Amino acid sequence: MSSPTETEQCIKSLIAVFQKYAGKVRNKCNLSKTEFLTFMNIELAAFTKNQKDPGVLDCMMKKLDLNCEGQLDFQEFLNLIGDLAVACHDFFTRSQKCI
Amino acid sequence: MSSPTETEQCIKSLIAVFQKYAGKVRNKCNLSKTEFLTFMNIELAAFTKNQKDPGVLDCMMKKLDLNCEGQLDFQEFLNLIGDLAVACHDFFTRSQKCI
């Protein structure tokens, strides 16, 4: 079996990271609020520490928790990753002046 | 500067892969149909070769191309990655019987 491509590795990593932080409290298929905060403070520490508003993580959790269950399923987690990736991509392409 | 976390590496890779395939034809910020087909046949060859319907890539492109421009921007590209990641995650968690 050939080694995974960069895209396949990304998909594997997204699942692995989600499963690493989900399931310590209750359901293995969802990130509880506590698990979300742990994920943000470890996996996205650079982003999290840069936020001036102490309530930003609470706001993010509310915005991401589309079905208001008080936890994030994998699709809601991916929306977070997607939003961050789009923000980073926009930042890079603005500086590269996308033509 | 500390090495990127697995999540940060994923975001970097998603941008790098998109930029690797986008921009050979026309705009660097979009995947043309040709670039999308090249991406699918190289980065997701295992998935692509497994499809019985020869028209599946055309259907996927139409579905992903939300603004019907005939090309995929980064958000539309991420929707593809997200759909595939959710399908893989659902497959794994069904076998792990998520409780």
Side-chain angles (χ1 to χ4, degrees):
Chain A
M1 201 167 140
S2 58
S3 58
T5 64
E6 191 168 5
T7 304
E8 289 165 340
Q9 186 52 54
C10 264
I11 292 172
K12 274 175 72 177
S13 283
L14 288 170
I15 294 171
V17 166
F18 179 77
Q19 292 195 332
K20 183 172 156 189
Y21 290 89
K24 293 195 172 51
V25 172
R26 276 187 291 156
N27 182 327
K28 239 186 345 197
C29 286
N30 289 293
L31 275 177
S32 67
K33 172 80 178 281
T34 314
E35 293 163 342
F36 167 73
L37 297 175
T38 306
F39 165 79
M40 290 300 296
N41 285 305
I42 294 175
E43 289 288 322
L44 294 170
F47 167 85
T48 304
K49 283 182 189 134
N50 244 324
Q51 302 308 307
K52 293 185 184 58
D53 172 5
V56 71
L57 295 186
D58 287 337
C59 289
M60 285 173 72
M61 178 75 181
K62 276 191 193 104
K63 190 192 151 217
L64 290 164
D65 182 14
L66 300 176
N67 51 16
C68 305
E69 281 184 333
Q71 51 189 7
L72 303 182
D73 61 27
F74 185 57
Q75 179 62 69
E76 291 165 334
F77 168 77
L78 288 178
N79 294 341
L80 165 65
I81 303 300
D83 290 347
L84 291 169
V86 167
C88 292
H89 179 260
D90 289 351
F91 177 79
F92 290 135
T93 46
R94 254 196 313 270
S95 50
Q96 293 169 338
K97 293 241 173 348
C98 229
I99 36 136
Chain B
M1 202 166 138
S2 59
S3 57
T5 64
E6 192 169 3
T7 304
E8 289 165 340
Q9 185 53 54
C10 263
I11 291 172
K12 273 175 71 179
S13 283
L14 289 170
I15 294 171
V17 166
F18 180 77
Q19 292 195 333
K20 182 174 157 188
Y21 290 89
K24 291 192 172 54
V25 173
R26 277 188 288 154
N27 182 325
K28 241 191 337 210
C29 286
N30 289 294
L31 275 177
S32 67
K33 173 77 178 283
T34 314
E35 292 163 344
F36 167 73
L37 297 175
T38 305
F39 165 79
M40 290 300 296
N41 285 304
I42 295 175
E43 288 287 323
L44 294 169
F47 168 84
T48 304
K49 282 180 189 135
N50 243 324
Q51 302 309 308
K52 292 183 185 60
D53 172 4
V56 70
L57 295 186
D58 288 338
C59 290
M60 285 173 71
M61 179 77 182
K62 275 190 193 104
K63 188 190 153 219
L64 290 164
D65 181 15
L66 299 176
N67 51 16
C68 305
E69 281 183 332
Q71 50 188 9
L72 302 182
D73 62 26
F74 186 57
Q75 179 62 69
E76 292 166 334
F77 168 77
L78 287 178
N79 294 342
L80 164 66
I81 304 300
D83 291 346
L84 290 169
V86 167
C88 291
H89 178 260
D90 289 352
F91 177 79
F92 291 135
T93 46
R94 254 198 313 273
S95 50
Q96 292 168 336
K97 294 248 169 349
C98 226
I99 38 142

